[in-house]
Amino acid sequence: MGRLEITFGRLRLERPGMVASGIMDETGDSMARMIRSGAGAVVTKSIGLEPRPGHRNPTFTEVEGGYVNAMGLPNPGIKLFAEEMEIALRAGPVVGSVFGSNAKDFAMLSAKMEDYGASAIELNLSCPHAEGYGAEIGSDPKNVRSIVSAVSSSVDIPVWAKLTPNTSSIVELGRAAEDGGAEAVVAINTLKAMVISAELRKPVLSNKFGGLSGPAIKPVGVRAVYDLRGALSIPVVGVGGISNWRDAAEYLLAGASAFQVGSAVGTKGPKVFGEINRGLEMFMSDHGYGSIAEMVGVARE
Amino acid sequence: MSETVKIIGKMKESKDTYTLEFKWDAPAMPGQFVMVWIPGVDEVPMSLSRIGKIKAITVKGIGEASNAIHGLQVGDYVRLRGPYGNGFSIKKAKRILAVAGGVGAAALIPAIKETGCDTIIGARSEGEIILDDVARKYSKSVWISTDDGSRGFHGNAVQLAKEKMALRDYDLVIGCGPEVMLYFLHRACKENNVECQLSLERFMKCGAGVCGCCMMDELRVCKDGPVFGTEELDGLSDFGTRKRDECGRIINLR
Ligand SMILES: Cc1cc2nc3c(=O)[nH]c(=O)nc-3n(C[C@H](O)[C@H](O)[C@H](O)COP(=O)(O)OP(=O)(O)OC[C@H]3O[C@@H](n4cnc5c(N)ncnc54)[C@H](O)[C@@H]3O)c2cc1C
Ligand SMILES: Cc1cc2nc3c(=O)[nH]c(=O)nc-3n(C[C@H](O)[C@H](O)[C@H](O)COP(=O)(O)O)c2cc1C
Ligand code: FES
């Protein structure tokens, strides 16, 4: 098979780059397009129990080095998402991202995603701007452990925990996820942030604060992956600020077994996946790597 | 990118439509739009109805945000993001017909200015015709249609466009207006073998091609659009049939 192929826990992907949750992945056709553009898999928008409009606009703004968003987890709800999954799965593998306010909801949502045909579950324990969800419950290692363990015992597919960097120790959260039975951790979600208009003297986002993503957060993500790789025995998925093959290589060398791309899909378009794939292949032949796995964690040695 | 600009002009276009002018250097193409923030209310997409160093938006009051924009006065500040979207590509076409329905005229004015093309401006009745005076400054032929016959052609803008296409040899039709109108305009253009580029609308949040809430099939209206050409429109099963609400739920249009 191709040189870019990765085996990742029980999952095999033809390409190491996935679409990060929340980026062009709320509808089936859009997910299918991302896979056809060269993503190895797409992680769905985080889906909850009921339809949710998210926060009122403004929910998003560009800043130097990236975006600040507080979408507020808009989604059509798990029931209607069945149709979107069906369409997306015709194009390739889909990882189901879910969010809930307690272990029972997470388990129920994950079981549905498994029924729909998801290849793995990604637990959103890290969204920084939705009250009662995401980082609000995912910053406490005890919660992380109990949610991961409830989900792990209710599905047969791999369970990944997506961790927040807005904590004093992401490694502790990672350990809790591993103890709970996670097959991988995903790091990082956005960094809590705020934008204020000087002339209008008000915070721009309707939610006041949001999450920073894009090139500005890459060094934070790389450090998180490096630390997690050193402390855990389960694989780490790197995400945060990847927009070209060199960024992706940095994450792999820091210890990520796979990576996700979010904001760069906006700045560079879906073609970013093709560019990263080609760049990585060149890098591998220039530096004598026969597989992605050979690169993982090399910068740690 | 974003910028906070000062309103330097405000004109009434009709009983429920105003144009607001502001100085903004950002380069923009005909058909591009901005996200307009009204603090404490909302942030909504609006086409640029002028695209030079002085830019403008022309806003029809239909709800909370658009009416709040009407409340802005000369001297007030407003924060904009953009310009976003792909705009009209009008460079190669020689004989262009612009077809506007209602406030859709706003999106077409910069293209009419750039090309001097023939223009149809349609509305339900005489009092709702907007920007015909601006269009007349740039193009020789401006035709008006009203559904109730109170001014110009009695009928809708697509019926009038069909008549004009039969009489003159256009190689491109550009259009903006309600989706059902655009759906029939697209069909009329195909029947007459004329290329078209139509500006569509969907619910927008990021405006920048990131969040995926404005999808029509696999295309993002904010980034791959809002202007789509004949072939893209041919392939869009959502065009004229389905849109999505803020949650991403499908709403059938007919
Ligand atoms: C690319 C684009 C260009 C546009 N250009 C113009 C223009 O030049 N002039 C003009 O008057 N109008 C324009 N519109 C429409 C304008 O954005 C809506 O009329 C406006 O958002 C209504 O907001 P409201 O709060 O007043 O109405 P509401 O009562 O809140 O909503 C009424 C309807 O407006 C639409 N709408 C509301 N919020 C949004 C949103 N965030 N994104 C898309 N649609 C929304 C929906 O269809 C909704 O059902 C454009 C829309 C798009 C997508
Ligand atoms: C508009 C937007 C929406 C997002 N929605 C989600 C979400 O629903 N669930 C989630 O786990 N992460 C969400 N994220 C976070 C991304 O998945 C990713 O972790 C973050 O953006 C960092 O990656 P990037 O720098 O490549 O964008 C969102 C990010 C953005 C910009
Ligand atoms: S509005 Fe976010 S992708 Fe179009």
Side-chain angles (χ1 to χ4, degrees), chain A:
Chain A
M1 274 303 288
R3 210 201 312 231
L4 291 179
E5 183 182 316
I6 58 166
T7 310
F8 181 71
R10 285 181 279 159
L11 203 69
R12 192 188 65 79
L13 298 178
E14 278 170 41
R15 297 175 291 270
M18 295 173 254
V19 181
S21 179
I23 317 291
M24 277 183 80
D25 49 14
E26 208 178 283
T27 70
D29 287 317
S30 148
M31 289 191 270
R33 173 178 175 187
M34 300 305 284
I35 293 172
R36 283 200 310 274
S37 303
V42 46
V43 184
T44 69
K45 176 74 199 168
S46 294
I47 302 297
L49 288 175
E50 298 296 331
R52 229 177 112 94
H55 295 312
R56 193 153 216 216
N57 280 353
T59 45
F60 174 96
T61 189
E62 288 98 344
V63 293
E64 233 169 274
Y67 305 136
V68 176
N69 90 83
M71 307 308 300
L73 297 172
N75 78 99
I78 191 70
K79 193 157 158 258
L80 289 175
F81 207 64
E83 301 167 42
E84 313 296 346
M85 289 292 284
E86 198 188 318
I87 295 166
L89 281 163
R90 286 182 216 139
V94 177
V95 174
S97 171
V98 295
F99 73 93
S101 57
N102 57 58
K104 198 170 125 256
D105 291 355
F106 269 105
M108 201 282 246
L109 291 160
S110 302
K112 280 270 187 225
M113 280 290 192
E114 179 176 35
D115 291 346
Y116 295 165
S119 299
I121 297 296
E122 184 177 287
L123 304 174
N124 180 346
L125 298 166
S126 43
C127 175
H129 48 72
E131 218 175 299
Y133 299 107
E136 283 200 8
I137 48 179
S139 304
D140 178 354
K142 278 207 297 288
N143 278 343
V144 169
R145 198 197 138 111
S146 68
I147 291 166
V148 171
S149 112
V151 173
S152 299
S153 58
S154 65
V155 297
D156 289 324
I157 52 178
V159 176
W160 306 350
K162 186 169 178 186
L163 305 176
T164 176
N166 303 304
T167 167
S168 56
S169 171
I170 196 168
V171 164
E172 249 183 80
L173 299 177
R175 285 211 186 92
E178 182 167 24
D179 289 348
E183 284 200 18
V185 292
V186 182
I188 54 176
N189 207 312
T190 52
L191 293 170
K192 208 164 169 175
M194 188 172 210
V195 178
I196 288 175
S197 159
E199 290 91 340
L200 296 162
R201 300 184 286 276
K202 283 188 175 68
V204 169
L205 299 179
S206 74
N207 187 56
K208 297 192 171 67
F209 63 86
L212 175 66
S213 63
I217 71 167
K218 191 184 70 178
V220 180
V222 171
R223 192 272 303 163
V225 167
Y226 193 93
D227 283 356
L228 287 162
R229 178 72 274 146
L232 310 184
S233 50
I234 52 175
V236 183
V237 180
V239 49
I242 298 175
S243 51
N244 56 45
W245 68 263
R246 192 177 278 110
D247 299 334
E250 251 189 86
Y251 271 96
L252 295 168
L253 298 169
S257 304
F259 57 89
Q260 299 177 355
V261 179
S263 302
V265 174
T267 48
K268 295 190 134 183
K271 70 172 194 304
V272 67
F273 285 99
E275 286 173 15
I276 291 175
N277 292 339
R278 280 190 296 279
L280 276 180
E281 278 184 324
M282 294 266 270
F283 176 79
M284 290 166 77
S285 51
D286 286 354
H287 294 268
Y289 291 111
S291 70
I292 293 283
E294 288 171 27
M295 291 169 65
V296 175
V298 165
R300 316 180 47 80
E301 286 156 12

Side-chain angles (χ1 to χ4, degrees), chain A residues 24 71, chain B residues 35 203-215 220-223:
Chain A
M24 277 183 80
M71 307 308 300
Chain B
M35 295 295 294
F203 203 90
M204 289 184 186
K205 291 178 181 173
C206 74
V210 183
C211 70
C213 77
C214 66
M215 307 302 298
R220 296 163 294 181
V221 173
C222 70
K223 185 97 175 187

